[in-house]
Amino acid sequence: MKIYNTLTKQKEEFVPLVEGKVSMYVCGPTVYNYIHIGNARPMIVFDTVRRYLMYKGFDVNYVSNFTDVDDKIIKAANEAGVTASDISQKFIAECKKDMADMNILPATTHPLATQEIDGMLEMIQTLMDKGYAYKVEDGTVYYRTRKFAEYGKLSHKNIDDLEGGHRDIKVTGADAKEDPLDFVLWKPKKEGEISWQSPWCDGRPGWHIECSVMSKKYLGEQIDIHAGGEDLVFPHHENEIAQSEAANGKTFANYWMHNAFLNIDNKKMSKSLGNFFTVREITEKYDPQVLRFFMLNAHYRSPLNFSADLMESAKNSLERILNAAENLRAHMTQEDTLTDADQENLKVREELVQKFCDAMEDDFNTADALAAIFEIVKLANTTVDGASSAYAKELYHTLETLSGICGLKVEAEEEILDSDIEELIQKRQDARKNKDFALADQIRDELLEKGIELKDTREGVKWKRI
Ligand SMILES: [Zn+2]
């Protein structure tokens, strides 16, 4: 299996640190709002990478953080007149809901930056002890960038070119840094901001130190894969490398994977252009599976353009897969055995499964992998009539497995039984009695999603399938 490594700018054979195991860290969102579809791309892409590794039998330890302390969160909290933690907790819950909708597996661990401050204090102290960090008058702690000789190795930037671009930054006053390239590890609190005690000042961590610390705590000092959007290569991931490798004295991550940008109608997504979409807005219009299919229909390192037309075409393509699955299910009616013709057709299937795997082995080329799925769809549609049930079952299993690696579900929607509905209605009545209206509403919404509408009448709760 080959992975394109941003560090070496080439596809490399994947060799894990420990046989049969993969440790993987994916930078997660800053939670101050609903996630947008640009956030969804790395989530979907790297979830698919994880699913393929699992399919190959690897035990994957997948860590993805939530940045729950940040200027934007504090700003949103001040505007809403609530605490920073109210904002972050609300949007972590909303983000998890979107992730579940997009069929993204929960991470093995979803660490929160605010719960890992001790580890950050420890790593910053190590960096100070080793001469890689220093404190200035107002208590800010900076990383001494030039001391890390390999700085720039991930983004392939020359350190002197970087400095040229930063010459206008002021270097006097209480927050004076030694060098314009130095970046913040710890900063003093401002009035009314959330803060923690530290040996340097009451304050909070810089963004980059968070990921270095959470990756170390949950995956160890050296990991297999570190991933995120390409906008994180510089400075975020470059700074993570500088921190982790200076503190731990080890290579931080062996493979660095980055997905390309997502544009909207060929323009950069931005609030000011009015082309900014949250995942929630899109999944209100489309089945979340359509968004997932759309994202995987391009290679993750190619820029992706989002438009209504392309989503329509993704919807139609996905439907072809779902229809083929339904057709196969309709043929899975009896216990029988494969005919000679079926056996021949299954040889074609083997070739197509191999084609799918070859595409995934080549730096996760999901576009080609989906193309192989469509060839299986075509095989199913052209051969299942007159074939045995056993054959339909075989093909269905293949379609289900390969689609599942892409996180696409082809199973029939499970029908909810009358007895389950009655049980949920009773639970909702109990919740209302206990004045737990949030739970009551949640149950009503859950039922509605399954196509069950409730009506409160004088004679009690009535329900119908819609
Ligand atoms: Zn990060």
Side-chain angles (χ1 to χ4, degrees), residues 25 27-28 65 207 211 226 232 236-237 240:
Y25 188 95
C27 290
N65 65 299
W207 171 39
C211 287
H226 195 117
L232 298 184
H236 184 53
H237 287 164
E240 280 188 44

Side-chain angles (χ1 to χ4, degrees), residues 403-449:
S403 302
I405 292 170
C406 299
L408 301 170
K409 288 186 275 194
V410 300
E411 298 91 339
E413 294 254 335
E414 242 176 75
E415 232 188 274
I416 182 164
L417 300 170
D418 288 4
S419 56
D420 293 337
I421 297 170
E422 300 288 357
E423 202 179 302
L424 280 167
I425 289 175
Q426 190 52 51
K427 238 171 111 181
R428 175 169 171 263
Q429 295 298 87
D430 294 344
R432 290 171 120 194
K433 231 179 267 165
N434 298 328
K435 299 216 176 339
D436 186 351
F437 298 109
L439 177 63
D441 285 351
Q442 191 191 322
I443 295 171
R444 187 198 56 212
D445 292 347
E446 236 170 71
L447 282 165
L448 195 59
E449 255 172 50

Side-chain angles (χ1 to χ4, degrees), residues 7 24 70 88-89 110 154 192 237 280 289 352 390 407 441:
L7 197 60
M24 191 167 173
D70 172 89
S88 59
Q89 280 179 26
H110 275 296
L154 180 71
H237 287 164
R280 198 61 60 83
Q289 294 223 92
L352 296 175
D441 285 351

Side-chain angles (χ1 to χ4, degrees), residues 140-195:
T140 309
V141 180
Y142 287 104
Y143 186 92
R144 191 172 273 133
T145 304
R146 275 188 184 274
K147 188 169 166 64
F148 185 68
E150 291 177 282
Y151 194 80
K153 68 175 172 179
L154 180 71
S155 51
H156 307 284
K157 288 180 193 288
N158 182 311
I159 198 159
D160 294 315
D161 295 345
L162 288 173
E163 185 150 37
H166 284 78
R167 226 164 255 160
D168 51 342
I169 291 176
K170 69 163 188 158
V171 286
T172 53
D175 62 347
K177 347 183 200 179
E178 292 175 0
D179 187 307
L181 288 177
D182 295 350
F183 59 88
V184 171
L185 297 172
W186 188 264
K187 57 181 159 192
K189 70 165 182 183
K190 290 191 198 118
E191 196 49 45
E193 278 185 7
I194 180 169
S195 66

